[in-house]
Amino acid sequence: MKNFSLLVGILLFFAACSSEEKINFKPLDLLKQGIPVTIMAPDSADVKKSDFGPVMKDITIRKGKDYFVQIYASQASTTDIAKLKAQELAEVKNKKYFSKIIKEDPTGFIYETKVDSNYIDYGFRYVQVQGSNEYIFQTGLIGPFTLEAVENMYEAVQQK
C-alpha cells in the first residue's frame, strides 16, 4: 500500500509539472505584427516579423528550446479550410523523413519525422482563415522538438 501511495504521488507530481508548463502560457496579441490573431505563448517570448510586402508576413514567436511557433500570413488562396489543410498535409507527407501523422483535426495535425531510431522530431501545422487572409501556423524551422512540446504549441495556437 505504501508503494502504491508513492506511485500515485509521483504521478500527480509529473501531471502537475506538465500542466504547470501550459498554465505559464499567456495570451499574446499579434496585431502589432500586422495580423489580427491572439495565441498563447510563454511570458516574454521573442517575437520577430519579416514582411514580404503585400504578399506575405512571416512571424516567429520563440522562447527557450520548447517553444518556437512560426506563422505565415497571406492573401487566402481559398476559404476552404479542408483544402488548405490538405495542401499542408501533402507538403508534410512529401518530406524526405516523414514518418507518420500523430494527431489530425479538421484544421490541423501533428506529425513525426524520423531520420533513424536515434533522431525523431515532431511538428505541427494548423490553418485558419479570417476574412480574405489565411494563416498557417507551424513549428519553427529549428528543432528538434519533443512530442509534448509540439502538443503544447499546437494547442497554444488554436483560438478557442
Side-chain angles (χ1 to χ4, degrees):
M1 188 66 171
K2 204 175 202 182
N3 288 338
F4 179 74
S5 297
L6 179 62
L7 178 63
V8 170
I10 290 171
L11 290 174
L12 287 174
F13 172 77
F14 283 117
C17 288
S18 66
S19 64
E20 183 179 319
E21 184 177 329
K22 292 179 188 176
I23 291 171
N24 287 333
F25 288 1
K26 297 182 180 341
L28 176 63
D29 185 354
L30 297 171
L31 194 54
K32 288 181 184 176
Q33 283 71 34
I35 62 172
V37 171
T38 299
I39 65 170
M40 301 300 287
D43 196 26
S44 304
D46 183 33
V47 180
K48 292 187 176 160
K49 173 184 160 188
S50 298
D51 203 337
F52 301 104
V55 178
M56 183 188 300
K57 290 178 181 35
D58 174 3
I59 296 156
T60 59
I61 304 98
R62 188 172 192 173
K63 178 80 181 227
K65 66 178 179 67
D66 289 332
Y67 192 95
F68 190 4
V69 171
Q70 188 158 17
I71 306 166
Y72 294 109
S74 62
Q75 184 76 25
S77 57
T78 179
T79 57
D80 184 349
I81 297 280
K83 185 175 180 180
L84 285 172
K85 186 191 113 184
Q87 290 169 349
E88 293 299 314
L89 192 56
E91 181 183 320
V92 165
K93 284 183 174 181
N94 283 327
K95 288 184 175 192
K96 183 176 182 177
Y97 297 109
F98 170 78
S99 175
K100 63 183 174 180
I101 297 296
I102 302 292
K103 176 181 180 177
E104 188 171 358
D105 297 319
T107 55
F109 55 92
I110 295 174
Y111 62 94
E112 176 186 270
T113 55
K114 189 176 197 178
V115 175
D116 59 35
S117 61
N118 295 318
Y119 189 87
I120 299 173
D121 191 18
Y122 298 91
F124 76 87
R125 299 283 172 94
Y126 175 73
V127 297
Q128 182 179 348
V129 174
Q130 285 183 3
S132 62
N133 294 313
E134 69 183 43
Y135 304 96
I136 308 296
F137 301 79
Q138 66 180 45
T139 44
L141 300 177
I142 300 171
F145 300 102
T146 65
L147 180 55
E148 181 180 5
V150 169
E151 288 171 335
N152 288 338
M153 288 184 277
Y154 183 69
E155 187 177 315
V157 301
Q158 298 180 45
Q159 294 183 5
K160 303 288 183 200

